[in-house]
Amino acid sequence: MTRRRINRLALREALAGYFFILPTLLSFLVFFLVPTISGLGMSFFDWDFFSDPAFVGLDNFLELMRDKLFLTTLKNTALFAFIATSLNVGLGMFIAIGINSIKWGWLRAYLRTAYFIPFVISTVVVALMFGFLLQESTGVVNYYLSRLGISRIPWLSSSTWAFRSIILIDVWKHVGFFTLIFLAGLQAIPGELYEAARVDGAGRRVRLTRITIPLLTPSLFFSLIIALIGAFQVFESMYVLTNGGPGDATRTVVMYLYREAFGSFNMGYAASMAVLLFFIILTLTVTQVRLGDRWVFYR
């Protein structure tokens, strides 16, 4: 085969490869790269979406540091992210360990499905459903609490309870996803390790702490990153259930960003929030990746 023919075949193979990745590449360019660059550039302008943009440099970012409402939303978002991530990942891991220890295969399959179903339901549908269940005067939950002699709880109308309720709803929806991730991690652990540990006289607690949890750290590492990124972008549940209230108790950065962009048409200021949130998430993710080398164990 001549060199020229080889080059033509290589070119055809390369073109075929580019053809197959073209839809994904176009989607990446149109829906991610271009909006990201546009948002970054917009953050340096004062623009109300209708008039010509005016360059203001870093003024939008400096204003954010003085904006008490933004700092409140940032605190709410960080607190929500920490609590929701801890509960989702922690409960997901121990639920997965519990399911994996069940001997009956049909029961394991049922529980896997039962825990995962809430994750595939739309967040808006979940929020509307819980909004009906948690109504203070007519909600189903308070009705049964009152039948037990417990006073009605202002699930969504109290600043303290509203924040807790949003977290509980988030855990109900997402814990099944992380349970499935940990179940996959458990299936990858060789059974020979447990058999050898039993022969050596290791009890259930020792097997859990010396075999199961260390070999689940790759799944734990992945889950922490995914959970934290998702929690910092929380929007739908709080928007539907409380609209950021009572007061600003459940208002998050994304909700404030949405209000400034599409309520006040302060596009440059909203873009600066998005850029700052992006770098916060990026910093936390990179930090987790760097620290992961110290505690993640790969076989």
Side-chain angles (χ1 to χ4, degrees), residues 5-298:
R5 187 175 179 183
I6 293 174
N7 290 336
R8 291 172 67 181
L9 288 173
L11 178 61
R12 289 178 61 183
E13 290 180 357
L15 290 175
Y18 286 123
F19 177 77
F20 282 113
I21 68 171
L22 184 61
T24 301
L25 183 61
L26 288 176
S27 299
F28 174 77
L29 290 173
V30 174
F31 297 108
F32 179 78
L33 189 60
V34 172
T36 300
I37 295 175
S38 301
L40 180 61
M42 196 187 303
S43 65
F44 299 106
F45 289 83
D46 182 13
W47 186 39
D48 62 2
F49 199 76
F50 300 104
S51 60
D52 294 333
F55 182 76
V56 294
L58 297 175
D59 287 357
N60 286 327
F61 295 96
L62 296 175
E63 181 62 27
L64 282 178
M65 298 300 102
R66 298 189 294 264
D67 189 342
K68 292 183 179 180
L69 180 55
F70 173 74
L71 296 177
T72 298
T73 61
L74 187 60
K75 183 191 73 172
N76 292 342
T77 304
L79 184 61
F80 174 86
F82 174 76
I83 298 175
T85 298
S86 302
L87 290 175
N88 277 318
V89 175
L91 288 175
M93 181 172 66
F94 285 105
I95 290 171
I97 293 172
I99 292 175
N100 195 61
S101 65
I102 297 175
K103 297 180 180 179
W104 300 286
W106 64 268
L107 184 56
R108 288 200 305 269
Y110 169 77
L111 291 174
R112 282 199 305 266
T113 305
Y115 275 105
F116 187 70
I117 282 177
F119 178 73
V120 301
I121 302 174
S122 166
T123 304
V124 174
V125 173
V126 170
L128 291 173
M129 179 181 69
F130 274 95
F132 170 74
L133 293 174
L134 298 179
Q135 283 290 333
E136 184 175 357
S137 56
T138 60
V140 176
V141 175
N142 275 343
Y143 168 77
Y144 284 105
L145 288 177
S146 64
R147 294 293 297 269
L148 294 173
I150 302 173
S151 58
R152 295 178 181 271
I153 297 174
W155 296 104
L156 301 174
S157 56
S158 163
S159 58
T160 301
W161 279 105
F163 196 81
R164 296 172 180 173
S165 301
I166 297 292
I167 291 174
L168 290 175
I169 294 169
D170 185 84
V171 171
W172 181 86
K173 175 171 171 52
H174 292 105
V175 73
F177 171 75
F178 297 103
T179 299
L180 211 63
I181 291 175
F182 286 114
L183 279 170
L186 287 167
Q187 297 300 314
I189 300 176
E192 294 83 0
L193 296 177
Y194 293 108
E195 293 174 7
R198 291 190 188 95
V199 171
D200 290 338
R204 182 174 297 179
R205 183 180 62 83
V206 174
R207 296 197 300 270
L208 175 66
T209 57
R210 298 299 178 89
I211 298 176
T212 304
I213 292 179
L215 292 182
L216 273 181
T217 50
S219 300
L220 179 60
F221 174 65
F222 173 78
S223 298
L224 286 173
I225 291 178
I226 296 298
L228 199 63
I229 291 174
F232 264 94
Q233 300 178 75
V234 62
F235 173 74
E236 298 100 320
S237 55
M238 293 184 178
Y239 183 79
V240 172
L241 285 168
T242 62
N243 197 24
D248 295 309
T250 59
R251 193 175 304 280
T252 63
V253 172
V254 178
M255 289 185 66
Y256 189 29
L257 185 159
Y258 175 82
R259 192 186 78 176
E260 287 296 307
F262 303 106
S264 304
F265 293 103
N266 196 352
M267 306 301 291
Y269 194 56
S272 66
M273 289 188 215
V275 170
L276 186 58
L277 182 62
F278 169 78
F279 279 106
I280 290 173
I281 294 174
L282 179 64
T283 301
L284 291 173
T285 303
V286 171
T287 302
Q288 288 186 84
V289 172
R290 293 290 181 87
L291 295 176
D293 295 335
R294 302 181 182 182
W295 61 272
V296 178
F297 301 96
Y298 298 96

